[in-house]
């Protein structure tokens, strides 16, 4: 990958970070082709609080197989949804939020369908999604980036946010929305939607391995040269 010259130093830092993380971990592929359906991605996100991705993927598939359509999922009793979501970390909370979210879409659109978002500017589409119960910036960004909308939007989970805070790329106490506002303007222009998703997946991997919430393996971290916290650990 060739580095562009003359850009914001934080942008160059992101470019270098991407290169060294690909060298360390390789490129990470999303496993689930159904993510291209924005409603599938929405459901997976709403039920996914503190649950592993592969478990939420499987639960999302099970819901659709069991009820036949997202409209039928919206009409199902919370108790039935809770039983179907028994593998999630918070089954009842996931069921309650999902039902409220899908019913909210039906009330506005007449069916569970997000095609109208393709006609909206990205930020307007995200703000519309964030009016739905259970949907905040991480989920709205995920829908716009990883589904067939394929917008240049960065998904930020707790791992990703912690690392960009430690690196000094966003304010130390930034919540997800503030971290998003700080990070998006410095995303390299040449990164398309899949490359921005790759950035997120690599940062998540770093957060699951070397840059953990309560421990940091800075001495062996490939990002250290671009990290404020890593520099202080010298
Ligand atoms: S150098 Fe340390 S603090 Fe910085 S990203 Fe790596 S592990 Fe985290």
């Amino acid at each position: 990958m060739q580095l562009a010259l003359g850009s914001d130093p934080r942008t160059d830092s992101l470019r270098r970070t991407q290169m060294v993380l690909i060298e360390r971990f390789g490129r990470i592929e999303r496993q689930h082709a159904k993510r291209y359906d924005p409603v599938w991605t929405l459901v997976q996100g709403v039920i996914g609080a503190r649950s592993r991705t592969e478990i939420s993927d499987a639960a999302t598939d099970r819901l659709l197989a069991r009820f036949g359509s997202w409209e039928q999922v919206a009409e199902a009793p919370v108790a039935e949804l809770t039983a179907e979501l028994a593998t999630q970390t918070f089954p009842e909370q996931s069921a309650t939020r999902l039902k409220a979210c899908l019913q909210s879409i039906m009330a506005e659109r007449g069916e569970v369908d997000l095609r109208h978002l393709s006609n909206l500017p990205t930020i307007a589409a995200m703000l519309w999604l964030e009016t739905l119960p259970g949907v905040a910036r991480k989920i709205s960004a995920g829908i716009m980036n990883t589904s067939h909308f394929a917008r240049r939007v960065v998904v930020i989970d707790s791992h990703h946010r912690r690392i960009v805070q430690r690196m000094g790329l966003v304010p130390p106490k930034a919540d997800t929305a503030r971290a998003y506002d700080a990070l998006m303007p410095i995303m390299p222009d040449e990164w398309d939607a899949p490359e921005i998703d790759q950035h997120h997946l690599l940062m998540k991997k770093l957060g699951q391995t070397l840059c953990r919430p309560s421990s940091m393996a800075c001495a062996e971290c490939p990002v250290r040269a671009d990290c404020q916290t890593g520099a202080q650990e010298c």
Side-chain angles (χ1 to χ4, degrees):
M1 189 185 302
Q2 196 159 15
L3 298 185
L5 299 176
S7 62
D8 188 310
R10 295 167 301 168
T11 303
D12 288 337
S13 174
L14 286 170
R15 292 188 178 106
R16 285 191 294 272
T17 296
Q18 190 93 331
M19 279 198 304
V20 295
L21 289 179
I22 289 171
E23 281 171 12
R24 173 63 68 96
F25 299 124
R27 295 189 76 87
I28 300 171
E29 300 295 331
R30 285 203 181 271
Q31 297 299 316
H32 213 293
K34 288 178 184 168
R35 279 184 178 276
Y36 290 116
D37 174 1
V39 178
W40 189 95
T41 304
L42 170 75
V43 172
Q44 194 266 6
V46 170
I47 68 172
R50 295 182 187 265
S51 298
R52 288 187 18 225
T53 300
E54 57 271 27
I55 288 176
S56 298
D57 288 352
T60 305
D61 286 342
R62 270 202 318 277
L63 279 174
L64 193 54
R66 159 85 168 77
F67 293 99
S69 71
W70 296 122
E71 287 80 8
Q72 290 298 315
V73 173
E75 297 298 337
V78 168
E80 275 187 49
L81 295 176
T82 301
E84 288 296 327
L85 294 172
T87 53
Q88 301 307 106
T89 303
F90 303 114
E92 187 170 2
Q93 180 192 79
S94 296
T96 303
R97 285 183 178 170
L98 178 61
K99 185 177 176 73
C101 179
L102 296 181
Q103 287 203 323
S104 179
I105 297 172
M106 286 182 67
E108 187 154 338
R109 309 292 310 162
E111 58 185 336
V112 181
D113 190 288
L114 296 175
R115 277 177 291 185
H116 69 293
L117 298 181
S118 64
N119 299 320
L120 296 179
T122 299
I123 192 63
M126 291 170 69
L127 292 175
W128 186 90
L129 286 164
E130 290 167 23
T131 64
L132 300 171
V135 178
R137 183 55 51 98
K138 179 186 163 207
I139 295 176
S140 68
I143 292 167
M144 297 312 293
N145 176 262
T146 66
S147 79
H148 65 64
F149 293 130
R151 302 285 179 90
R152 292 186 74 257
V153 166
V154 63
V155 179
I156 302 174
D157 68 357
S158 58
H159 291 301
H160 194 162
R161 187 181 52 172
R162 180 176 68 253
I163 295 169
V164 289
Q165 286 171 339
R166 287 174 176 172
M167 289 179 73
L169 294 172
V170 306
K173 295 188 185 308
D175 61 13
T176 299
R178 282 186 66 208
Y180 176 90
D181 290 342
L183 213 47
M184 270 312 296
I186 60 171
M187 282 283 130
D189 288 341
E190 71 274 18
W191 285 7
D192 59 9
E195 195 65 20
I196 292 176
D197 186 37
Q198 186 64 211
H199 163 68
H200 166 65
L201 294 172
L202 288 163
M203 295 292 258
K204 183 175 180 178
K205 181 82 172 176
L206 180 62
Q208 291 169 333
T209 53
L210 302 176
C211 195
R212 304 280 301 159
S214 56
S215 63
M216 300 174 290
C218 299
E220 54 182 300
C221 178
V223 170
R224 189 174 190 180
D226 277 291
C227 179
Q228 285 182 1
T229 304
Q232 290 164 7
E233 294 292 309
C234 287

